[in-house]
């Protein structure tokens, strides 16, 4: 029987039989994703992480139990999809192959011959978009991870660690043992199925001696549909176009995305008459300058920023009406790190929906408005009374009461090591007066 553990306000961790097969995991996930309230279902080694819309508790557990009971009938009876992937074992791209040879006591030729005979199965995906955890290695091939990870592993690297092997879809840090490299494109957001490998797929290795270059994603100019409204004269420090939060991205090994400051983005969109989740321009530290070709309505919310319209301070940055020839400049952001600029109709995002990172704005690029259906533009307040408090709840795994209490009884200082992926905190002094809801 599956076991359920609370994993956030609207999520459950479902632990299944540890002996469940990759095909059964994939079938269970497919059954769960058909539940209307489920936003995302992420496959683990023998578990499912389910994000949903309704309030947590009994109703969702019951729906999940029903779906999991039906899952066995979904296990495909036909042979699953099979991939034959060419892998170079040239010494230049297989620095840890000698470690595998030493651990097994086999010759290099024998290792390569066995590599060609492997019949591997994708168990689940995660870590990076397109990164698949693949099982089926011989027990003698189970090398431990490196004690210190490499800071940069080339895209396409074929690696082993423990009972798993994997292909690195892009350049990233990694601690696995590199025994080859492929030139196969493992992740392409423009494909109908962006990840080459998915849970339940079979993988065969075709080792070759010649060196293969890392796979490269061809960057084709995107066809932009929208109204051209202006040009970025300057791009600012770190300006991005961000679309709505999309929990389904989690299943591909990506963050759910969306604005860093959801409240500010919602308020800005409301002020220009958009739906609250319309794409916006997210600015960090120093914002951009835009020259407009015609009339437009914009709104700035979030941390205070110097909003200059034709060199003068805008009367009310919460609603800024511009005309042809006007230049709107967002200067240095103070009292925080980020703010958002909304545009009537929504900002057109040139990136595919499953791009790994948001669209970064560059000087000279054009700004397009979409046709987001909204309401009458109305100003609203953005409360920041609780900005220094973060709600913390117990996760699905056990934690000692003493440790949890220590987490809550300290002030935590935001360090400079932060980005859209994570915010690193440093432990500060003891404190009191933390709200009981935290």
């Amino acid at each position: 029987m599956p076991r359920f553990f609370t994993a956030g306000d609207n999520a459950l961790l479902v632990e299944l039989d540890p002996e469940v097969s990759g095909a059964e995991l994939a079938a269970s996930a497919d059954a769960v994703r058909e539940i209307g309230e489920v936003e995302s279902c992420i496959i683990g080694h023998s578990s499912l992480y389910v994000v949903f819309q309704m309030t947590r508790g009994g109703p969702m557990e019951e729906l999940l139990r029903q779906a999991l009971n039906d899952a066995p009938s979904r296990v495909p009876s036909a042979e699953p999809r099979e991939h034959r992937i060419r892998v170079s074992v040239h010494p230049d791209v297989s620095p840890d192959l000698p470690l595998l040879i030493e651990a097994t006591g086999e010759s290099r030729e024998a290792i390569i011959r066995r590599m060609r005979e492997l019949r591997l199965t994708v168990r689940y995906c995660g870590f990076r978009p397109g990164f698949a955890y693949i099982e089926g290695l011989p027990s003698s091939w189970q090398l431990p991870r490196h004690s210190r990870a490499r800071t940069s592993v080339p895209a396409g690297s074929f690696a082993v660690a423990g009972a798993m092997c994997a292909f690195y879809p892009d350049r990233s840090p990694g601690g696995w043992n590199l025994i080859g490299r492929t030139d196969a494109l493992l992740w392409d957001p423009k494909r109908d199925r962006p990840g080459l490998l998915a849970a339940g797929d079979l993988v065969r290795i075709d080792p070759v001696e010649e060196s293969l270059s890392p796979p490269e994603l061809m960057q084709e100019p995107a066809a932009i549909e929208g109204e051209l409204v202006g040009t970025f004269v300057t791009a600012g420090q770190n300006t991005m176009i961000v679309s709505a939060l999309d929990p389904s991205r989690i299943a591909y090994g990506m963050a759910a995305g969306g604005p860093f400051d959801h409240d500010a983005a919602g308020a800005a969109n409301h002020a220009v008459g958009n739906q609250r989740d319309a794409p916006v321009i997210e600015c960090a530290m120093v914002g951009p300058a835009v020259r407009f070709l015609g009339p437009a309505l914009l709104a700035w919310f979030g941390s205070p920023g110097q909003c200059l319209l034709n060199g003068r301070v805008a009367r009310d940055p919460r609603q800024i009406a511009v005309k042809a020839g006007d230049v709107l400049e967002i200067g240095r952001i103070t009292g925080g790190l980020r703010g958002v600029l909304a545009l009537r109709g929504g900002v057109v995002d040139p990136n595919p929906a499953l791009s790994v990172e948001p669209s970064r704005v560059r000087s000279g690029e054009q700004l397009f408005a979409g046709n987001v259906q909204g309401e009458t533009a109305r100003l609203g307040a953005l409360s920041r009374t609780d900005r220094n408090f973060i709600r913390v709840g117990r996760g699905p795994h056990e934690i000692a009461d003493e440790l949890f209490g220590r987490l809550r009884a300290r002030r935590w200082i935001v360090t400079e090591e932060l980005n859209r992926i994570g915010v690193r905190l440093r432990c500060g002094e003891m404190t009191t007066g933390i709200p009981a809801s935290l």
Side-chain angles (χ1 to χ4, degrees):
M1 295 294 292
R3 297 191 300 163
F4 299 88
F5 300 90
T6 299
D9 291 340
N10 290 85
L12 289 170
L13 178 67
V14 185
E15 290 194 353
L16 306 174
D17 187 332
E19 301 301 320
V20 64
S21 69
E24 291 169 332
L25 268 172
S28 296
D30 288 342
V32 167
R33 290 174 185 137
E34 290 190 1
I35 301 174
E37 293 81 5
V38 169
E39 293 184 330
S40 187
C41 178
I42 302 95
I43 299 175
H45 186 80
S46 57
S47 64
L48 302 175
Y49 180 70
V50 183
V51 182
F52 51 89
Q53 297 172 354
M54 64 171 59
T55 303
R56 67 187 180 193
M60 177 50 67
E61 288 190 15
E62 184 58 34
L63 291 174
L64 290 174
R65 289 184 192 279
Q66 294 175 8
L68 294 173
N69 285 337
D70 296 337
S73 63
R74 295 171 172 268
V75 177
S77 56
E79 191 74 9
R81 188 166 66 165
E82 181 174 312
H83 308 267
R84 184 171 290 275
I85 300 179
R86 189 170 61 154
V87 173
S88 170
V89 291
H90 190 280
D92 289 347
V93 299
S94 58
D96 296 324
L97 186 56
L99 295 178
L100 183 61
I101 294 171
E102 180 182 0
T104 60
E106 300 182 33
S107 66
R108 185 176 189 275
E109 292 72 20
I111 290 288
I112 294 172
R113 184 171 58 252
R114 292 194 69 182
M115 191 180 296
R116 184 174 287 109
E117 297 169 351
L118 292 175
R119 187 175 175 84
L120 305 169
T121 304
V122 177
R123 188 168 185 87
Y124 58 98
C125 298
F127 172 57
R128 306 282 294 181
F131 190 100
Y133 291 81
I134 307 170
E135 58 187 358
L137 290 177
S139 58
S140 60
W141 285 31
Q142 296 183 16
L143 298 179
R145 287 172 53 96
H146 290 293
S147 57
R148 294 187 63 181
R150 290 180 170 94
T151 57
S152 182
V153 174
S157 294
F158 179 53
V160 298
M164 293 286 186
C165 59
F167 295 93
Y168 282 79
D170 58 357
R171 182 175 291 275
S172 67
W176 291 31
N177 301 274
L178 309 184
I179 62 172
R181 183 188 295 170
T182 183
D183 58 357
L185 187 58
L186 300 159
W187 178 264
D188 184 351
K190 299 186 296 297
R191 289 192 300 225
D192 290 338
R193 191 173 107 159
L196 177 65
L197 305 176
D201 287 359
L202 298 180
V203 178
R204 304 294 296 270
I205 303 298
D206 183 15
V208 296
E209 291 290 348
E210 65 266 27
S211 181
L212 300 177
S213 300
E216 293 186 8
L217 177 64
M218 299 301 294
Q219 299 291 342
E220 299 177 1
I224 299 178
E225 297 182 2
E227 178 188 358
L228 176 61
V229 297
T231 301
F232 288 95
V233 180
T234 60
Q237 186 80 20
N238 190 19
T239 305
M240 302 178 175
I241 298 174
V242 294
S243 298
L245 178 77
D246 182 5
S248 68
R249 290 166 52 93
I250 302 173
Y252 294 104
M254 295 186 287
F260 197 93
D261 188 338
H262 295 278
D263 293 336
N269 273 320
H270 185 71
V272 297
N274 294 340
Q275 297 174 358
R276 298 184 69 86
D277 61 353
V280 295
I281 300 171
E282 180 180 276
C283 312
M285 295 172 282
V286 178
V290 184
R291 177 177 285 109
F292 289 89
L293 303 176
L297 180 64
L298 302 100
W300 172 266
F301 277 77
S303 300
Q306 187 182 37
C307 297
L308 302 178
L309 182 58
N310 299 323
R312 297 182 178 181
V313 177
R315 183 176 61 181
D316 188 348
R318 297 176 302 166
Q319 275 187 342
I320 307 170
V322 299
K323 60 183 184 301
D326 283 350
V327 175
L328 176 63
E329 180 181 0
I330 307 297
R332 183 169 297 279
I333 298 169
T334 59
L337 187 65
R338 290 180 174 85
V340 293
L341 188 66
L343 172 67
R344 173 71 174 177
V347 181
V348 174
D349 186 352
N351 268 3
L354 290 175
S355 294
V356 178
E357 294 184 348
S359 306
R360 294 184 181 274
V361 171
R362 294 175 174 81
S363 300
E365 289 184 341
Q366 295 175 320
L367 172 63
F368 291 85
N371 58 356
V372 175
Q373 300 298 316
E375 303 175 351
T376 303
R378 289 178 293 182
L379 285 177
L382 181 60
S383 173
R384 290 299 196 200
T385 57
D386 64 345
R387 61 173 297 177
N388 292 331
F389 291 99
I390 298 177
R391 292 179 59 242
V392 176
R394 292 179 180 272
H397 303 296
E398 292 184 3
I399 181 173
D401 291 341
E402 178 186 1
L403 178 56
F404 190 67
R406 287 166 57 190
L407 291 173
R408 299 174 66 246
R410 293 269 185 181
R411 291 190 188 275
W412 296 87
I413 301 168
V414 178
T415 70
E416 295 181 354
E417 299 179 64
L418 78 167
N419 53 30
R420 290 181 55 87
I421 298 174
V423 178
R424 190 178 296 276
L425 305 178
R426 184 175 70 250
C427 186
E429 72 275 11
M430 297 287 290
T431 185
T432 58
I434 295 178
S437 60
L438 296 181

